[in-house]
Amino acid sequence: MEILAIDLGKYESVACKYVTATGTARFATVVTHANEFDRLLSQESPNLVVIETCSIAGWVHDLCCQRGVKCQVANSSSEAWKWKNVKRKTDRDDALKLAQLAALQQLPTVHVPAPRKRVNVARYSSIGNP
């Protein structure tokens, strides 16, 4: 299986292509933009994309679904994701950890609602009680 784990950033993101059969990882830095991610998905053809939950996780998840690629969104507040005993933390480390946890099926994930539902929730939360 080939996993594409992406540590999402506001301007740049770090992608890790992880091959589970060999345990090899290859990294790339990409601009955080839908066109760049679409190109990355076409180029890498992963079986699975893994990202952390964050403000842009919704559109990245939607893009993967549109391309027919399974996408998991990691719950980064769970115990498996704690960095309390780590001396070095980089975007590459985050991306590799996402890939490795997904490969071991130990990645705690969250559900991503359909785009229409996310818009309705955002609309109601901004105006108060409906």
Side-chain angles (χ1 to χ4, degrees):
M1 174 184 264
E2 294 183 353
I3 299 172
L4 184 64
I6 307 171
D7 183 60
L8 299 171
K10 187 173 182 177
Y11 302 108
E12 288 187 335
S13 299
V14 174
C16 172
K17 173 112 180 234
Y18 185 77
V19 180
T20 58
T22 60
T24 58
R26 184 170 38 89
F27 298 91
T29 301
V30 295
V31 175
T32 304
H33 189 274
N35 291 340
E36 288 297 313
F37 280 27
D38 193 41
R39 183 189 58 73
L40 182 67
L41 290 173
S42 294
Q43 183 180 5
E44 299 297 338
S45 300
N47 302 103
L48 172 66
V49 172
V50 184
I51 57 175
E52 287 180 281
T53 185
C54 64
S55 61
I56 64 173
W59 70 258
V60 175
H61 181 271
D62 296 344
L63 178 65
C64 292
C65 291
Q66 290 169 2
R67 305 256 310 115
V69 179
K70 184 177 177 184
C71 182
Q72 292 181 344
V73 180
N75 178 1
S76 57
S77 65
S78 72
E79 193 59 36
W81 197 245
K82 299 295 181 192
W83 286 94
K84 54 187 163 187
N85 297 322
V86 177
K87 294 182 183 188
R88 183 185 83 155
K89 183 184 179 312
T90 66
D91 293 342
R92 286 174 61 124
D93 293 340
D94 285 355
L96 181 59
K97 185 171 184 177
L98 278 171
Q100 290 172 331
L101 286 173
L104 294 171
Q105 297 181 346
Q106 294 181 349
L107 187 70
T109 59
V110 295
H111 171 71
V112 179
R116 192 186 61 156
K117 296 279 186 186
R118 291 193 309 263
V119 171
N120 290 339
V121 169
R123 184 180 319 135
Y124 287 123
S125 66
S126 66
I127 60 173
N129 294 328

